[in-house]
Amino acid sequence: MQGAIKARQSNRTMGGWQFWIDRGGTFTDIVARRPDDSVITHKLLSENPERYRDPAIAGIRELLGVTPDAAIPVDRIAAVKMGTTVATNALLERKGERTLLIVTKGFRDALRIGYQNRPKIFARQIVLPEMLYERVIEVDERVTAQGQILRSLNLDQVRADVEPALRDGIRSAAILFMHAYAYPEHERRVAALIQPLGFTRVSASHHVSALIKLVGRGDTCVADAYLSPILARYVGEIVRELPGVPIYFMQSNGGLVGAHRFHGKDAVLSGPAGGLVGAAISAQGARFERIIAFDMGGTSTDVSHYAGEYERGLETQVGGVRLRAPMLRINTVAAGGGSVCYFDGGRLRVGPQSAGANPGPACYRRGGPLTITDANLLLGKIQPQIFPHVFGPDGNQSIDPDSVVAKFAALASEIDTATGRRLAARDLAEGFIKIAVENMANAIKQISIQRGHDVTSYALCCFGGAAGQHACLVADALGMKRILLHPMAGVLSAYGIGHADLRALREQTIEARLNESLLPRLKRAFGELSHVTVAEIEAQGIASDNIVVRRSLHIKYEGTDSALSVPYSDLGAIESSFAAAHRQRYGFISDGKPLIVEAISVEAVGGGDPVEESGPTFSRADTSQLATVSMFSGGREYFAPLHTREALTPDDELVGPAIVREANATTVIEPGWRGRIDERHNLILERVEPLPKRVAVGTDADPVMLEIFNNLFMAIAEQMGVALQNTAYSVNIKERLDFSCALFDRMGALIANAPHMPVHLGSMGESVETVIRSRRDTMNPGDVYMLNAPYNGGTHLPDVTVIMPVFNEDSTRLLFFVAARGHQADIGGITPGSMPPFSRTVEEEGIL
């Protein structure tokens, strides 16, 4: 934890301004530290072409008092630190550089084929993600996994093959050879050959991602070649505007890097990573050991788990592209203040479409659709007089409540016509917010409960422009009782970027059994990677004695495919750490089963700006209350006090309902919650009244509750599938995803299923009904039934169904069933893989 947020050496140059900038999808947040160390904040729309080209540069100009046509006085600026969505947007919109893929002969389609997973199994028309590369060249070379050269390189032929691509204007290349993660010489030679020919970017897979698995390594390499030139042009524009200013960019791994070292593969989570760093700083200052970071902006919500150290994954999928590079584990859901609210003919829907910054929500005066922001405005949780006045032709008007009232009235009429139900506009607004809250709570469950963490003992660290408006509601949905809001919660991602360390990470594939004989090899490998990472930080001006190095191993059970990260130590400590991590994640351990070291990773950290330890100076105002405003919550109208955050002191107690105006956000304290200010000016919210029990939806289906319960049940089935996939040994289940999970009522009727195999789901109900018929009178809590008979709802013998009844808390009443079905290729039969074509009886196919 200290390595993540404690300063070792400051990058600050005394006497100059520092600008910490998070360019998001809707707003660009700026935190500026003046030469006297005082801090100010600023917000701009990320897209406002009528007024400026780039919001970061425009914000710097405004804070320095420089006109749009004047040169920026760079001698007044000490440093600029940024997080940007440039790479993310280029990846999602497929607007990167034209890229050439150079690959081992015979593997030209390997990245298109990818793995055997089917992400949209119910889609009638399969639309594969568009490949990032434009052209492929195959090289007749081959090195075995043991390093034996089967086919040598012909560099003359490589030169002849790439020249047509150069003539056609392709200037970015990705090199991907078999087993180059361990034997990279062929990639090095090709890179050295083609770089001088005219390519502006050459990415070699062994340098970009030195990890086993051709597809993930190749996707990462291609993404790096595809995105890095776009980033380089953007970075170049910033550098030209700010010549001579030290400029740093936030990476997906949670660390800063100098502008000239900022590459595409490390940029896709640039902004969200800054938010998690800021949340970690907040947690330390408020003395919270475990938090769920909840960053709700205008376009999306990012959630992450933090319990003293950053969690990273080695493989992430963004926009249909697999990236094998260290990234913070951040789960993103399409639910932000700008998420579009609409009626689909039967139920209310929220997102995934976003109104973005242009046109933005309906209240932004650009003719946008109804959004979550508009719903909060209608309910009084957003007050026009305290919202930033950045709208209209001159960028100085407030949001427009009249257009919101009109659009909600029109939507209520539309629903009345379609369903015969007349809903009040405020009921509609609350319904949309409830749906969004459940979506966000389900996203948090995926990074917490699904990974073995009990969030009820955590604090919810809320930040981003929209998080404070939903903080209490999300906490209630998760059973969390404490909420933390930093004084700069509205711009915490920018604040975190400003205080982040410089970081360098390297990984290396090991893929060997963990035992005493492996330890010398691990020691050598760690030493080599440590030298490389420390040198990278030193090259950016940080002294070696101010650099901290962390070493970890990625370990899995032999025969499995899901590795867990544990700290590097002696053999006994490594084994015990893995056992504890595996039990927490999956609920069991396999004593005596050999462990495999899949890879090692080394992280060098240093150079972050110090977090100020002194608390703020409080000045007692006559009152913090600005006004009393009308606010709707839980179907009731309240007259809530409207406070200003800056005037609150530790003596003040805020009893919900109440609204707190912040410099860059609005916080709503719901009924049943109480707020207080701590000595560091954090706003701490605590639930003081027991959470009321929920009432189930009746037969007269409410369109709001229909969508909420649909999402809840779907989330359960999806989490069942993730647990099954992570713990499975079978390639059929782990990669081909030949399994299904679903919930059934106590009569065996389907309630909800995850988007798994349709052929399974059509008959699983028959299997549940079979169990009910034969075992109804003898079922007990904890019983589990397994069957595969095609006569009883099975599909064919290799598909094994496991069914479990779920009882109420005192085990007196059966509530529902959960069931999972997976294909086991090795069940009996007279041919490998089962299903011999000449079978005449079911016994010849396999074991019944």
Side-chain angles (χ1 to χ4, degrees):
M1 179 173 178
Q2 280 71 28
I5 57 182
K6 182 180 178 182
R8 281 162 295 280
Q9 177 174 325
S10 173
N11 285 327
R12 189 190 313 175
T13 302
M14 296 304 294
W17 285 70
Q18 281 204 41
F19 295 97
W20 309 332
I21 304 170
D22 173 34
R23 178 174 172 170
T26 303
F27 281 102
T28 291
D29 300 336
I30 303 176
V31 177
R33 174 181 273 158
R34 294 189 181 102
D36 63 1
D37 276 355
S38 61
V39 174
I40 57 174
T41 63
H42 193 43
K43 264 185 187 287
L44 290 169
L45 288 170
S46 292
E47 292 182 32
N48 199 342
E50 299 92 346
R51 297 187 57 223
Y52 45 76
R53 179 178 177 183
D54 182 81
I57 296 299
I60 292 174
R61 288 181 179 277
E62 291 181 13
L63 290 173
L64 290 178
V66 179
T67 59
D69 56 347
I72 296 175
V74 294
D75 57 317
R76 296 173 58 191
I77 303 175
V80 173
K81 303 175 182 180
M82 293 184 62
T84 176
T85 57
V86 168
T88 313
N89 293 342
L91 182 63
L92 296 178
E93 298 171 12
R94 295 299 194 263
K95 293 182 179 179
E97 190 79 353
R98 297 176 64 191
T99 301
L100 171 70
L101 172 62
I102 303 172
V103 69
T104 300
K105 186 176 181 179
F107 293 89
R108 66 178 300 121
D109 295 319
L111 301 188
R112 176 168 292 281
I113 295 170
Y115 301 127
Q116 296 191 54
N117 57 329
R118 291 152 288 191
K120 295 182 180 179
I121 204 160
F122 290 120
R124 297 178 65 185
Q125 180 181 2
I126 306 300
V127 179
L128 294 175
E130 182 182 346
M131 292 292 101
L132 301 184
Y133 55 85
E134 178 180 319
R135 192 176 301 186
V136 183
I137 290 174
E138 291 185 291
V139 177
D140 191 12
E141 68 82 40
R142 191 63 182 268
V143 180
T144 70
Q146 293 74 37
Q148 178 186 358
I149 298 177
L150 297 182
R151 291 184 180 274
S152 299
L153 269 175
N154 183 340
L155 293 179
D156 292 335
Q157 185 63 49
V158 173
R159 178 193 292 268
D161 289 341
V162 302
E163 284 178 346
L166 283 167
R167 287 196 298 268
D168 290 342
I170 297 176
R171 293 292 181 268
S172 192
I175 307 171
L176 174 63
F177 291 161
M178 283 289 290
H179 306 302
Y181 68 92
Y183 304 101
E185 184 57 28
H186 281 186
E187 283 194 352
R188 289 194 184 114
R189 292 172 62 191
V190 171
L193 169 73
I194 69 172
Q195 183 81 61
L197 299 181
F199 286 99
T200 57
R201 177 69 186 180
V202 176
S203 297
S205 73
H206 74 275
H207 184 263
V208 171
S209 178
L211 296 172
I212 197 171
K213 292 186 178 179
L214 179 77
V215 172
R217 176 164 52 93
D219 266 356
T220 307
C221 181
V222 171
D224 190 70
Y226 183 76
L227 297 175
S228 291
I230 303 296
L231 275 179
R233 285 195 284 272
Y234 179 70
V235 170
E237 292 176 4
I238 301 296
V239 170
R240 282 191 294 274
E241 293 276 1
L242 304 170
V245 175
I247 301 174
Y248 303 90
F249 281 88
M250 193 69 182
Q251 302 174 96
S252 303
N253 59 37
L256 293 169
V257 68
H260 62 290
R261 297 172 180 265
F262 190 42
H263 300 307
K265 73 180 180 69
D266 300 316
V268 293
L269 293 181
S270 178
L276 182 51
V277 173
I281 294 171
S282 303
Q284 186 195 40
R287 299 181 180 87
F288 289 159
E289 295 182 356
R290 295 175 295 184
I291 61 167
I292 296 296
F294 170 54
D295 177 8
M296 185 177 180
T299 305
S300 61
T301 294
D302 300 312
V303 297
S304 44
H305 171 269
Y306 182 83
E309 62 182 28
Y310 298 127
E311 292 185 350
R312 294 189 180 91
L314 282 182
E315 184 155 355
T316 309
Q317 185 160 319
V318 180
V321 178
R322 292 161 289 261
L323 296 170
R324 283 181 66 79
M327 294 188 188
L328 295 178
R329 290 191 184 275
I330 298 174
N331 192 20
T332 300
V333 60
S339 292
V340 176
C341 303
Y342 62 99
F343 177 66
D344 70 355
R347 55 185 178 172
L348 302 185
R349 307 294 294 273
V350 176
Q353 303 88 354
S354 172
N358 189 6
C363 62
Y364 278 19
R365 300 180 181 271
R366 288 186 174 181
L370 283 177
T371 66
I372 291 298
T373 294
D374 299 309
N376 279 306
L377 176 61
L378 188 76
L379 295 173
K381 295 181 178 182
I382 291 177
Q383 294 291 319
Q385 67 270 31
I386 64 174
F387 206 81
H389 286 48
V390 295
F391 306 100
D394 299 322
N396 58 1
Q397 291 183 268
S398 67
I399 49 179
D400 176 21
D402 295 336
S403 62
V404 173
V405 172
K407 289 198 172 188
F408 266 109
L411 180 62
S413 297
E414 178 188 345
I415 294 173
D416 187 13
T417 301
T419 67
R421 291 178 65 98
R422 184 68 185 181
L423 295 174
R426 291 192 178 100
D427 292 336
L428 277 175
E430 279 210 307
F432 284 127
I433 290 174
K434 287 179 182 178
I435 293 167
V437 164
E438 290 295 340
N439 289 341
M440 292 182 286
N442 288 337
I444 291 174
K445 291 174 185 177
Q446 291 178 19
I447 52 94
S448 58
I449 297 170
Q450 187 171 288
R451 299 174 66 84
H453 305 297
D454 179 10
V455 295
T456 58
S457 61
Y458 284 59
L460 187 66
C461 181
C462 296
F463 55 100
Q469 298 150 35
H470 310 88
C472 296
L473 300 177
V474 171
D476 283 343
L478 294 163
M480 302 176 74
K481 297 178 174 61
R482 291 185 302 171
I483 297 170
L484 167 64
L485 293 115
H486 188 270
M488 293 191 179
V491 291
L492 196 65
S493 291
Y495 182 78
I497 289 169
H499 288 295
D501 295 282
L502 295 172
R503 290 176 185 268
L505 282 83
R506 287 290 181 272
E507 312 83 35
Q508 181 177 322
T509 296
I510 300 296
E511 206 65 30
R513 183 175 290 189
L514 177 64
N515 50 37
E516 288 286 352
S517 62
L518 182 64
L519 296 182
R521 178 185 169 190
L522 292 178
K523 184 177 181 180
R524 288 193 303 272
F526 274 120
E528 293 169 359
L529 292 187
S530 299
H531 177 75
V532 172
T533 53
V534 169
E536 284 192 32
I537 301 297
E538 287 179 324
Q540 299 179 71
I542 308 302
S544 59
D545 57 353
N546 288 310
I547 299 173
V548 174
V549 177
R550 299 191 183 91
R551 303 169 179 86
S552 59
L553 307 97
H554 299 274
I555 299 179
K556 59 188 178 183
Y557 280 123
E558 189 173 64
T560 68
D561 199 36
S562 298
L564 298 174
S565 178
V566 300
Y568 176 53
S569 185
D570 59 77
L571 183 60
I574 293 171
E575 291 174 338
S576 61
S577 296
F578 174 79
H582 199 276
R583 184 181 294 279
Q584 180 188 53
R585 178 73 58 84
Y586 303 123
F588 71 95
I589 57 174
S590 300
D591 288 325
K593 191 170 185 63
L595 301 181
I596 301 297
V597 179
E598 180 182 84
I600 62 171
S601 63
V602 174
E603 176 184 19
V605 183
D609 263 323
V611 179
E612 302 300 334
E613 293 300 328
S614 59
T617 301
F618 294 97
S619 57
R620 162 57 68 187
D622 292 337
T623 177
S624 66
Q625 185 170 334
L626 299 175
T628 299
V629 297
S630 173
M631 180 186 113
F632 284 80
S633 180
R636 290 181 54 191
E637 181 180 12
Y638 297 90
F639 291 96
L642 174 62
H643 297 274
T644 181
R645 174 80 171 259
E646 293 79 4
L648 294 171
T649 73
D651 298 327
D652 295 320
E653 183 178 271
L654 308 177
V655 178
I659 299 175
V660 180
R661 184 194 74 175
E662 317 234 2
N664 299 285
T666 299
T667 296
V668 176
I669 305 175
E670 295 284 348
W673 286 80
R674 180 177 61 200
R676 62 179 175 85
I677 298 293
D678 71 4
E679 67 278 5
R680 295 183 59 80
H681 218 298
N682 294 301
L683 176 56
I684 311 295
L685 306 184
E686 297 174 325
R687 174 159 274 286
V688 292
E689 296 178 9
L691 188 65
K693 292 189 175 181
R694 299 185 180 186
V695 179
V697 63
T699 54
D700 185 14
D702 183 308
V704 174
M705 297 305 293
L706 190 64
E707 176 69 356
I708 288 174
F709 276 97
N710 173 66
N711 291 341
L712 284 171
F713 292 139
M714 276 282 284
I716 293 172
E718 288 173 352
Q719 290 179 37
M720 290 169 62
V722 171
L724 179 59
Q725 184 181 359
N726 284 342
T727 56
Y729 288 79
S730 167
V731 173
N732 274 335
I733 290 177
K734 184 167 292 293
E735 290 190 10
R736 291 188 60 245
L737 307 183
D738 195 349
F739 64 84
S740 296
C741 300
L743 284 74
F744 300 85
D745 68 16
R746 58 175 177 246
M747 304 304 294
L750 180 67
I751 297 173
N753 59 266
H756 296 153
M757 290 291 290
V759 67
H760 293 172
L761 298 166
S763 59
M764 282 175 71
E766 295 287 338
S767 298
V768 177
E769 291 175 7
T770 297
V771 171
I772 293 172
R773 285 195 302 271
S774 59
R775 303 291 183 178
R776 179 188 296 275
D777 298 331
T778 60
M779 285 184 187
N780 292 299
D783 288 350
V784 181
Y785 304 92
M786 183 171 69
L787 57 82
N788 69 333
Y791 312 107
N792 293 325
T795 45
H796 62 160
L797 295 183
D799 283 339
V800 177
T801 307
V802 178
I803 300 165
M804 181 176 178
V806 179
F807 290 78
N808 62 355
E809 291 182 359
D810 57 8
S811 304
T812 59
R813 187 161 63 96
L814 174 64
L815 300 178
F816 57 91
F817 292 87
V818 291
R821 176 175 291 174
H823 183 101
Q824 308 291 336
D826 54 354
I827 291 194
I830 54 178
T831 62
S834 75
M835 297 192 301
F838 46 81
S839 300
R840 291 166 297 175
T841 66
V842 71
E843 289 80 8
E844 290 176 310
E845 183 186 5
I847 298 173
L848 182 65

